[in-house]
């Protein structure tokens, strides 16, 4: 993976996440709005009341999945991400964006939504313009499991749905966490070597599964909030029990295997190297990808 690709991938929202991020992991659109860290916020206007929110347009794959799961009849427009295109549940819905391009505002307005949900930091301009056009919007940013639960409850309230079944799924996912887990470092790119600290969706995920993230407390200069640059020396010094390499479609693992330091690590010498899908660990992507990551982390 080149640093240039990573900049386009993570720079999409690195804060949105949920979050903070949606599609084919091999393409830039894969790093969609939820690409990383996310919390939940609203734009200038107050959100519509439950009684009036009957038509929603979503601009991120995660919020699309959440809304559809809460009440499938509420969705009228979705983003054009591959993670959704591969899901037949969304086949008949209007697509209002393509890849990393700005959403089609005319198409969104024509759908007459009561609410448009986008990613904070990525869709700010589009949401502001929609507000000017009289459309109520919500900007979201998912930085961890607490914000995911809060977001789910807020969206359920907006449409008058019961959030408990989804909250139960989250609890079931987290219940898979073992009491004791190995120390680990997650690598999401090679040039530079980037790893999540505790201020990211990935970092919170590791903490929830009692995995000792050896870069959790590191701070430093990095283009992306919640991610730090790790030197080869730092990797060799911390020497984690397990290395978690994120699969972004760029064959990062094969690239890392060619570096001189790789064979000196305890994890590589003991074959304790695991690959995780970009969706789920870096970009939440969808409910299914989050649950799949729970399964993988529970097996470390």
């Amino acid at each position: 993976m080149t640093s240039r690709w990573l900049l386009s991938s993570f720079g999409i929202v690195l804060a949105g996440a949920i979050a903070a991020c949606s599609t084919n992991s091999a393409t830039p659109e894969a790093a969609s709005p939820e690409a990383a860290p996310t919390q939940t916020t609203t734009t200038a206007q107050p959100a519509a009341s439950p009684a009036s929110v009957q038509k929603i347009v979503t601009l991120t794959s995660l919020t699309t999945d959440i809304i559809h799961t809460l009440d499938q009849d509420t969705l009228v427009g979705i983003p054009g991400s591959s993670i959704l295109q591969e899901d037949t549940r969304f086949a008949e819905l209007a697509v209002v964006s393509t890849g990393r391009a700005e959403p089609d505002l005319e198409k969104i307005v024509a759908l007459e939504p009561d609410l448009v949900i986008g990613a904070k930091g990525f869709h700010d301009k589009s949401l502001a313009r929609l507000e000017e056009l009289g459309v109520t919007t919500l900007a979201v940013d998912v930085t961890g499991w607490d914000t995911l639960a809060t977001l789910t409850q807020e969206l359920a309230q907006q449409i008058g749905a019961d959030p408990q079944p989804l909250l139960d799924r989250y609890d079931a996912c987290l219940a898979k966490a073992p009491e004791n887990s190995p120390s680990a470092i997650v690598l999401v790119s090679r040039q530079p070597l980037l790893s999540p600290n505790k201020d990211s969706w990935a970092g919170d995920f590791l903490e929830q599964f009692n995995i000792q993230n050896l870069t959790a407390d590191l701070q430093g200069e990095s283009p992306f909030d919640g991610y730090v640059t790790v030197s080869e020396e730092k990797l060799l010094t911390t020497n984690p029990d397990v290395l978690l390499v994120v699969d972004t479609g760029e064959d990062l693992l094969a690239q890392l295997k060619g570096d001189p330091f790789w064979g000196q690590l305890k994890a590589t010498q003991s074959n304790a190297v695991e690959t995780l899908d970009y969706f789920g660990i870096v970009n939440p992507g969808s409910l299914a990808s989050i649950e799949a990551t729970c399964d993988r982390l529970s097996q470390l």
Side-chain angles (χ1 to χ4, degrees), residues 45-83:
Q45 298 184 17
S49 64
S52 64
V53 178
Q54 300 176 3
K55 298 169 67 177
I56 293 179
V57 170
T58 51
L59 303 179
T60 76
S61 60
L62 179 60
T63 54
T64 299
D65 202 357
I66 291 174
I67 291 293
H68 188 277
T69 303
L70 290 170
D71 181 1
Q72 64 183 46
D73 296 327
T74 306
L75 271 180
V76 294
I78 63 173
S81 63
S82 64
I83 200 171

Side-chain angles (χ1 to χ4, degrees), residues 23-44:
T23 70
N24 230 333
S25 54
T27 65
E29 64 174 0
S32 199
E34 305 94 346
T38 51
Q39 302 165 338
T40 312
T41 59
T42 58
T43 52

Side-chain angles (χ1 to χ4, degrees), residues 13 15-23 29-40 56-71 75 77-85 87 89-90 97 117-120 123 138-153 155-156 166 169-170 173 201 205 278-293:
V13 168
I18 207 58
C21 18
S22 351
T23 70
E29 64 174 0
S32 199
E34 305 94 346
T38 51
Q39 302 165 338
T40 312
I56 293 179
V57 170
T58 51
L59 303 179
T60 76
S61 60
L62 179 60
T63 54
T64 299
D65 202 357
I66 291 174
I67 291 293
H68 188 277
T69 303
L70 290 170
D71 181 1
L75 271 180
I78 63 173
S81 63
S82 64
I83 200 171
L84 298 179
Q85 293 169 357
D87 193 327
R89 293 179 299 160
F90 307 107
S97 65
I117 305 172
K120 182 182 179 183
H123 294 122
L138 178 69
V140 303
D141 187 25
V142 178
T143 51
W145 282 84
D146 285 344
T147 53
L148 174 62
T150 299
L151 173 61
T152 300
Q153 291 170 314
L155 294 179
L166 259 183
R169 282 177 65 178
Y170 302 159
C173 202
W201 165 260
F205 214 141
Y278 169 82
F279 290 115
I281 191 65
V282 174
N283 179 337
S286 68
L287 299 173
S289 59
I290 292 172
E291 290 171 331
T293 302

Side-chain angles (χ1 to χ4, degrees), residues 101-126:
E102 289 290 324
D104 187 331
L105 300 189
E106 290 186 9
K107 192 170 187 178
I108 291 174
V109 172
L111 292 170
E112 300 182 341
D114 302 308
L115 179 65
V116 176
I117 305 172
K120 182 182 179 183
F122 183 69
H123 294 122
D124 291 353
K125 291 182 179 179
S126 296

Side-chain angles (χ1 to χ4, degrees), residues 12-258:
I12 295 184
V13 168
L14 253 223
I18 207 58
C21 18
S22 351
T23 70
N24 230 333
S25 54
T27 65
E29 64 174 0
S32 199
E34 305 94 346
T38 51
Q39 302 165 338
T40 312
T41 59
T42 58
T43 52
Q45 298 184 17
S49 64
S52 64
V53 178
Q54 300 176 3
K55 298 169 67 177
I56 293 179
V57 170
T58 51
L59 303 179
T60 76
S61 60
L62 179 60
T63 54
T64 299
D65 202 357
I66 291 174
I67 291 293
H68 188 277
T69 303
L70 290 170
D71 181 1
Q72 64 183 46
D73 296 327
T74 306
L75 271 180
V76 294
I78 63 173
S81 63
S82 64
I83 200 171
L84 298 179
Q85 293 169 357
E86 297 166 358
D87 193 327
T88 57
R89 293 179 299 160
F90 307 107
E92 303 302 318
L93 292 170
V95 175
V96 299
S97 65
T98 303
R100 296 182 55 218
E102 289 290 324
D104 187 331
L105 300 189
E106 290 186 9
K107 192 170 187 178
I108 291 174
V109 172
L111 292 170
E112 300 182 341
D114 302 308
L115 179 65
V116 176
I117 305 172
K120 182 182 179 183
F122 183 69
H123 294 122
D124 291 353
K125 291 182 179 179
S126 296
L127 296 181
R129 179 56 182 150
L130 287 168
E131 290 278 357
E132 293 173 0
L133 296 173
V135 179
T136 301
T137 69
L138 178 69
V140 303
D141 187 25
V142 178
T143 51
W145 282 84
D146 285 344
T147 53
L148 174 62
T150 299
L151 173 61
T152 300
Q153 291 170 314
E154 291 182 354
L155 294 179
Q157 183 177 22
Q158 292 280 356
I159 61 178
D162 180 9
Q164 199 55 51
L166 259 183
L167 297 177
D168 289 343
R169 282 177 65 178
Y170 302 159
D171 288 342
C173 202
L174 293 176
K176 297 178 181 179
E179 291 187 9
N180 298 299
S181 294
S183 65
I185 285 182
V186 177
L187 295 177
V188 299
S189 72
R190 175 170 170 262
Q191 296 178 341
L193 286 169
L194 280 182
S195 183
N197 63 19
K198 62 185 179 183
D199 300 321
S200 64
W201 165 260
D204 186 68
F205 214 141
L206 296 177
E207 183 178 354
Q208 295 294 333
F209 273 72
N210 300 313
I211 295 170
Q212 184 185 357
N213 177 15
L214 298 181
T215 60
D217 296 318
L218 295 185
Q219 300 293 331
E221 294 184 6
S222 169
F224 319 108
D225 292 338
Y227 287 79
V228 293
T229 300
V230 181
S231 67
E232 294 180 7
E233 292 74 19
K234 183 66 175 179
L235 273 179
L236 292 169
T237 300
T238 53
N239 212 12
D241 296 325
V242 176
L243 276 171
L244 302 174
V245 179
V246 177
D247 178 11
T248 61
E250 297 288 313
D251 208 357
L252 176 59
L253 180 57
Q255 295 179 44
L256 290 168
K257 286 180 177 179

